[in-house]
Amino acid sequence: MTSAASRLSPAPPPAGPSLPQHPLLSRLFWLRWAMVAGELLVLAGAQAWLHITLPLTELVALIALQALINGATWLRMRWPRPAEQGELLLQLLLDVAVLTALLYFSGGSTNPFVSFYLPALAAGAASLAWPYALLLAACALGAYSGLVYFYQPLHIHDHDQAMAYHLAGMWINFSISALLITWFVSRIAAAVRSRDGQLAQARERQLQSQRILALGTQAAGAAHALNTPLSTVAVIAGELRREMADNPALAPYDEDLRIVEEQIAACKTALESMRLDADAQARNEGSAPLAPWLRSLLEGWRLRHPAVLLVAEVHQPQWRASQLQDLSQIVLTLLDNAAHAVRERGQQGEIRISLTAADAPSRDGRARAIIGIVDNGCGIAPELLQRLGRGPVASSSGGSGIGLMLAFASAAHLGGKLHLRSTPGQGSEAELWFPLA
């Protein structure tokens, strides 16, 4: 069982090239483009519709500088090194500085769009640690305070019209700021919810791995403890065999003794198989042809269950797979459960196993295969089906569900999935999805 415990450790991430991920820089990148678009719209509206005289050269140059900073941010996002807090703070300080310059040339604190500071502050509060966010807020407050005294005023001679412009600008400013803040904060909240979900799944996998590891440790200890009793029983069986040769009165018990010897040999074979599985996992054996392995596995299984009809559809000789020890453990567990189900039903049992191709590849782009196992047994109760694979269960047939729990964990370790479907009284169906080599 030591090999089973080693096989059920968390699977490594799939290898292969991947694009660097910078979620905070990405959100800041798109937020800046939204602000650039809003600034251009405001500038065009003030110049074309409101006929307000503005220093277009300076304002357009500052907006172009903001776009240039965003271009540099796009290049930075292609680097694999993640952005640190200081770098994010610098990005937001540049936004505050450019916005301050824009407001300086367009009325300072009297400009109704002075609240454009708020999206940058919201981004900082959601992305930065509190010392950096506090520093960003202090810089924005200092810039706003300076614009109260230092700015180039807007020349609007009609004061009534100027008030109407100011109120309209405040409405537009509120709308744009509200949209930008809502968009940014909702994206942050969605990312937090997604991360919380991933953490919950990781905790569940860790608990399951700990449970399986504890089970593997106990099974390894039990396997070690079985060596001495098996050796003792084997010695006694040998003595009885020699005694039977000299005592004809023991001849009626020859068949019983033969069964005992077969069961001792089966137990020793199982223990030796566990040791060989551990050695194979330690060598980290490569890929092997899938069809010959499955045919050989089914031939050995038929010898253990001669009364059950097994119909196999195994083709695709070019397919190869790795970690065949894990696959063997899963398939044998599913076949044994199917055989038990058809015997419990009390009629001619039939199991069908097939090897087919999956429609969609795995997450790392590899092709996938499906091993399907269908039986005409008694089926599984719906309440029991929901619990199978999550932990040990107590069923009316005497099973404990440990084999299926190990099978589910092995499938996850392979990068695949195991699905169970059943209708009580009409049989069960199991599908093992796994990537090909």
Side-chain angles (χ1 to χ4, degrees):
M1 201 64 183
T2 305
S3 61
S6 63
R7 292 198 303 267
L8 297 177
S9 58
S18 60
L19 294 176
Q21 299 294 325
H22 300 281
L24 296 177
L25 275 182
S26 176
R27 296 186 188 98
L28 185 58
F29 173 79
W30 291 111
L31 178 63
R32 189 177 289 133
W33 277 134
M35 293 187 66
V36 167
E39 291 161 359
L40 289 175
L41 287 175
V42 170
L43 186 60
Q47 192 70 23
W49 299 325
L50 304 181
H51 304 290
I52 300 176
T53 302
L54 295 171
L56 292 179
T57 303
E58 291 83 353
L59 294 177
V60 172
L62 288 170
I63 295 176
L65 176 61
Q66 198 171 16
L68 184 63
I69 293 173
N70 223 24
T73 302
W74 179 78
L75 293 176
R76 168 63 183 87
M77 290 166 59
R78 300 176 66 87
W79 294 359
R81 183 174 61 86
E84 298 179 354
Q85 292 281 295
E87 183 178 353
L88 293 172
L89 175 63
L90 179 61
Q91 293 263 354
L92 292 169
L93 286 177
L94 287 174
D95 289 338
V96 170
V98 173
L99 179 59
T100 302
L102 286 170
L103 293 172
Y104 171 80
F105 289 108
S106 55
S109 62
T110 63
N111 191 318
F113 295 97
V114 72
S115 297
F116 267 15
Y117 283 118
L118 295 179
L121 292 177
S127 307
L128 301 175
W130 73 265
Y132 294 99
L134 186 60
L135 178 59
L136 178 66
C139 292
L141 180 60
Y144 187 104
S145 302
L147 290 173
V148 175
Y149 303 101
F150 305 101
Y151 62 90
Q152 291 187 9
L154 297 176
H155 300 287
I156 304 177
H157 301 289
D158 190 341
H159 294 287
D160 294 335
Q161 194 68 18
M163 181 55 67
Y165 291 163
H166 186 81
L167 294 176
M170 289 179 62
W171 183 89
I172 297 174
N173 171 55
F174 176 82
S175 301
I176 296 176
S177 298
L179 289 175
L180 291 178
I181 292 174
T182 301
W183 173 82
F184 189 86
V185 173
S186 63
R187 293 292 299 273
I188 290 290
V192 170
R193 288 193 297 269
S194 175
R195 184 191 63 183
D196 290 343
Q198 293 173 359
L199 288 175
Q201 293 177 0
R203 284 194 295 268
E204 182 178 355
R205 288 193 297 267
Q206 183 180 12
L207 290 175
Q208 186 179 20
S209 299
Q210 291 175 352
R211 181 184 300 174
I212 292 173
L213 182 59
L215 178 64
T217 303
Q218 294 174 2
H224 178 74
L226 281 175
N227 282 321
T228 300
L230 279 177
S231 299
T232 302
V233 174
V235 170
I236 295 175
E239 293 292 336
L240 288 175
R241 177 65 66 185
R242 285 190 293 270
E243 182 71 20
M244 187 175 295
D246 299 332
N247 189 353
L250 297 177
Y253 301 101
D254 180 73
E255 180 66 19
D256 295 334
L257 184 58
R258 185 187 63 81
I259 294 176
V260 171
E261 291 173 338
E262 289 179 353
Q263 296 304 312
I264 294 173
C267 292
K268 289 186 175 182
T269 301
L271 293 176
E272 181 65 15
S273 176
M274 290 167 58
R275 185 187 64 80
L276 294 176
D277 286 353
D279 293 341
Q281 290 295 324
R283 292 193 302 269
N284 193 19
E285 57 185 11
S287 64
L290 195 56
W293 158 80
L294 188 54
R295 292 193 185 98
S296 175
L297 185 72
L298 297 182
E299 289 174 1
W301 186 88
R302 285 190 176 100
L303 297 177
R304 295 164 47 194
H305 301 273
V308 179
L309 176 62
L310 178 63
V311 181
E313 298 179 7
V314 182
H315 306 292
Q316 307 297 340
Q318 74 278 10
W319 285 356
R320 301 176 68 87
S322 58
Q323 297 178 304
L324 295 183
Q325 296 294 338
D326 286 346
L327 286 174
S328 299
Q329 183 258 326
I330 299 172
V331 174
L332 290 177
T333 298
L334 296 176
L335 288 174
D336 288 343
N337 286 354
H340 183 81
V342 297
R343 286 198 303 266
E344 187 178 351
R345 189 168 184 177
Q347 62 180 27
Q348 177 61 38
E350 178 180 306
I351 302 175
R352 292 184 174 272
I353 182 171
S354 60
L355 175 63
T356 57
D359 296 334
S362 60
R363 291 183 178 180
D364 56 356
R366 290 190 292 171
R368 293 193 296 177
I370 303 174
I371 294 179
I373 299 176
V374 181
D375 65 73
N376 63 346
C378 57
I380 306 172
E383 61 275 6
L384 181 61
L385 185 63
Q386 296 177 358
R387 296 162 51 201
L388 287 177
R390 300 180 180 273
V393 297
S395 66
S396 58
S397 60
S400 61
I402 293 178
L404 280 177
M405 184 177 69
L406 295 175
F408 271 87
S410 295
H413 176 257
L414 288 172
K417 286 186 177 181
L418 181 58
H419 302 280
L420 296 178
R421 291 185 291 272
S422 179
T423 301
Q426 299 183 15
S428 305
E429 178 181 359
E431 284 189 351
L432 171 63
W433 296 56
F434 60 97
L436 297 172

